[in-house]
Amino acid sequence: MRKTYYFVITLFTFLSAIYISDNLKEKKSDSLSLQQAGFLPKMETFSKPEAKSFVVTDTLNWKLLGAIKFVKKQNKDYPDGVMYPIINSTLKVKNKKRIAMSGFIVPIDNTTYALSKNVFAACFFCGQAGPETIMGIKFRGGTPKLKTDQYVTLEGNFRINDNDVEDWIYHIEDAVIVKGK
């Protein structure tokens, strides 16, 4: 009885993977990938941003960016001290590497935008989220036309800032929108 049960579960999992795989072939855009469906681990993806050269791109997520600690240090501009981020080692390795990141577009001013874990109404400025829930964006070329709370996936170079308290902790530079235009 137990062997039959395990056989049925294994067969169901296998057939589900085939079904999703077949649907991916029919619908290449906006469909679940095997990684998103949980059948494959999330690993490095490959993108082709230029000519015929492949660039390895890591996919970051807000949970990983949120795994941060802060320590109070003295600062000449702030006599009572300032909270400085302590970046985890996983993120330090990704510094200055090509990454992909998804989030909501939040306007900073007329020409500057940030990528946020939350929509504008619950973002770092308006809600109770911390500075680790937002990334500064510098687009490749020029700033495209964007809408507040537009959900996008960006690909670009990841940069960490752990010493300038007047700047974002995380940045994505040379960014291009790869999904959500």
Side-chain angles (χ1 to χ4, degrees):
M1 177 76 174
R2 183 173 261 184
K3 288 181 183 178
T4 304
Y5 173 77
Y6 288 122
F7 174 77
V8 169
I9 294 297
T10 304
L11 181 62
F12 176 76
T13 304
F14 177 73
L15 292 175
S16 296
I18 291 173
Y19 176 77
I20 290 172
S21 177
D22 288 344
N23 282 342
L24 284 173
K25 290 175 186 172
E26 293 174 14
K27 300 182 214 173
K28 288 189 178 179
S29 64
D30 294 317
S31 64
L32 286 177
S33 71
L34 290 176
Q35 282 182 341
Q36 291 169 323
F39 290 106
L40 296 174
K42 290 188 177 181
M43 306 205 36
E44 296 175 342
T45 57
F46 294 91
S47 63
K48 191 176 180 182
E50 317 236 324
K52 296 183 179 182
S53 64
F54 285 95
V55 176
V56 177
T57 303
D58 283 328
T59 301
L60 295 185
N61 60 59
W62 293 107
K63 184 176 181 179
L64 180 60
L65 269 59
I68 190 171
K69 295 181 181 185
F70 293 90
V71 63
K72 191 171 189 175
K73 294 182 183 178
Q74 292 300 314
N75 183 297
K76 64 179 178 151
D77 296 327
Y78 301 95
D80 293 334
V82 177
M83 300 301 282
Y84 283 85
I86 299 173
I87 309 296
N88 67 58
S89 58
T90 304
L91 287 176
K92 282 186 177 181
V93 172
K94 297 175 187 308
N95 192 32
K96 298 181 181 177
K97 302 272 170 74
R98 195 94 181 142
I99 59 106
M101 185 70 187
S102 297
F104 297 95
I105 294 294
V106 175
I108 304 304
D109 58 32
N110 290 340
T111 59
T112 309
Y113 294 91
L115 190 67
S116 176
K117 174 183 178 181
N118 305 308
V119 295
F120 184 73
C123 76
F124 170 56
F125 307 108
C126 310
Q128 298 202 6
E132 71 279 1
T133 64
I134 201 158
M135 293 180 88
I137 306 171
K138 184 171 183 175
F139 286 100
R140 179 185 295 170
T143 304
K145 186 174 180 178
L146 300 166
K147 296 178 186 172
T148 300
D149 292 339
Q150 179 178 348
Y151 191 80
V152 297
T153 300
L154 300 177
E155 198 173 275
N157 299 324
F158 183 58
R159 182 173 63 85
I160 295 171
N161 165 39
D162 59 358
N163 57 9
D164 182 358
V165 296
E166 300 294 331
D167 198 5
W168 308 114
I169 297 171
Y170 304 120
H171 293 265
I172 185 164
E173 298 173 336
D174 193 35
V176 292
I177 299 173
V178 293
K179 188 174 181 185
K181 293 181 183 180

